[in-house]
Amino acid sequence: FPAFPSKLVATLPKQNTTNPTSPKKHATNMNKQAFFSLSLVLVFIFHCTTTLAQPAQAPAPPGPTNVTKILEKAGQFTILIRLLKSTKVADQINQQLNDTNNGLTLLAPSDSAFSNLKSGTLNSLTDEQKVELIQFHILPNFLSISNFQTVSNPLRTQAGDSRPGEFPLNVTTSGNSVNISSGLVNTTVGGSVYSDNQLAVYQVDSVLLPQAIFAPRPPAPAPAPAGPKAKTKKKATAGSPNSATADQNGAMSLRLSRHGFLLSIGVAVIAA
């Protein structure tokens, strides 16, 4: 056993007496990492402070309101769009919304609502009547669904007077259900198509027909019977048959008068 210790020492792995990462070098690396992290934090704080110090940018102003584009985006309003353009009512709506603070409410009949009209109804209208028909579906103020519960009947439209027989609309509500009557047509206000607190567009299931255009007119009164005509004597004119007869009768009367006068003289002579 004397040689065992030396062999044991020879077979043991040689220990590395040098530390690859000395405490001093490790401390230096830690300082560098801490400095780098602190730099990132300072850059982030500076960026946030600069961003918050800047005034918030105002949102870009919205484009001008265009009622036909709103309806085109919604779909199912092809006929209404055509009438709005042909009557120039669309231009009136856009100008009023963009130039003033007066709100508007559009009751928009869908294409199916127009298809339920009697054939030839729209073609039978004059240009002025088409304008009145479209304006009859426009209320001159903004109305939300809840506002319909507090309005006073009859509603005035842009078509004109709301007197009976003219352009009145009457509203009845039941909960969130809104019914509108023109006196000839009753319809229900459907879902909201568009609303921006200035313009409200609601779909309606029927075309509202104003009484001033579509109400049957009473027949015109019959003319009063003519009274009896007074008899008038026709005055004879010279050269007419009646004139000749009158002349003959006058001459005969004159001769008879002369003959009677002479006869009276003769009788008087005889008597004397």
Side-chain angles (χ1 to χ4, degrees):
F1 298 100
F4 179 76
S6 61
K7 290 182 179 180
L8 180 62
V9 172
T11 58
L12 289 175
K14 187 177 181 180
Q15 294 181 357
N16 188 3
T17 58
T18 61
N19 189 358
T21 307
S22 64
K24 184 177 180 181
K25 188 175 183 179
H26 179 72
T28 303
N29 292 336
M30 292 293 293
N31 290 336
K32 289 181 179 181
Q33 292 178 0
F35 179 77
F36 180 74
S37 299
L38 181 61
S39 300
L40 291 177
V41 171
L42 292 176
V43 170
F44 177 77
I45 293 175
F46 177 77
H47 175 74
C48 293
T49 305
T50 305
T51 303
L52 294 175
Q54 293 178 353
Q57 294 182 355
T65 303
N66 190 310
V67 66
T68 55
K69 288 185 178 180
I70 292 172
L71 294 173
E72 287 172 356
K73 185 177 180 180
Q76 300 181 356
F77 297 100
T78 306
I79 300 176
L80 177 59
I81 293 171
R82 186 174 71 244
L83 288 171
L84 283 168
K85 291 181 177 180
S86 63
T87 59
K88 306 299 183 183
V89 175
D91 296 337
Q92 298 174 7
I93 294 175
N94 295 335
Q95 182 177 0
Q96 183 171 348
L97 291 175
N98 296 319
D99 295 346
T100 67
N101 294 324
N102 296 330
L104 293 175
T105 300
L106 173 62
L107 305 174
S110 62
D111 290 338
S112 60
F114 278 103
S115 65
N116 291 330
L117 291 175
K118 185 179 178 181
S119 179
T121 298
L122 294 179
N123 293 333
S124 65
L125 301 179
T126 65
D127 292 341
E128 181 180 359
Q129 289 174 333
K130 289 179 182 178
V131 171
E132 292 174 339
L133 176 63
I134 299 303
Q135 290 179 336
F136 189 58
H137 291 76
I138 304 173
L139 308 179
N141 52 350
F142 173 85
L143 292 178
S144 64
I145 290 294
S146 59
N147 292 147
F148 280 105
Q149 300 177 358
T150 59
V151 296
S152 300
N153 288 320
L155 289 180
R156 184 177 178 84
T157 70
Q158 285 199 333
D161 206 323
S162 60
R163 292 179 300 177
E166 294 294 330
F167 298 94
L169 284 178
N170 291 286
V171 176
T172 57
T173 59
S174 177
N176 290 329
S177 177
V178 179
N179 299 319
I180 296 184
S181 173
S182 70
L184 298 176
V185 175
N186 298 321
T187 188
T188 302
V189 174
S192 176
V193 177
Y194 177 84
S195 179
D196 62 0
N197 294 325
Q198 188 180 13
L199 172 65
V201 181
Y202 300 103
Q203 179 176 336
V204 290
D205 300 329
S206 300
V207 179
L208 296 167
L209 303 180
Q211 299 178 29
I213 299 175
F214 295 95
R217 299 300 180 187
K229 294 182 179 180
K231 295 181 179 180
T232 56
K233 294 183 179 180
K234 293 184 179 181
K235 192 174 183 180
T237 58
S240 64
N242 293 334
S243 177
T245 305
D247 293 341
Q248 293 175 0
N249 292 336
M252 184 177 296
S253 298
L254 182 58
R255 287 195 297 269
L256 289 176
S257 298
R258 291 178 179 176
H259 180 72
F261 177 73
L262 294 176
L263 182 61
S264 298
I265 295 175
V267 171
V269 170
I270 293 172

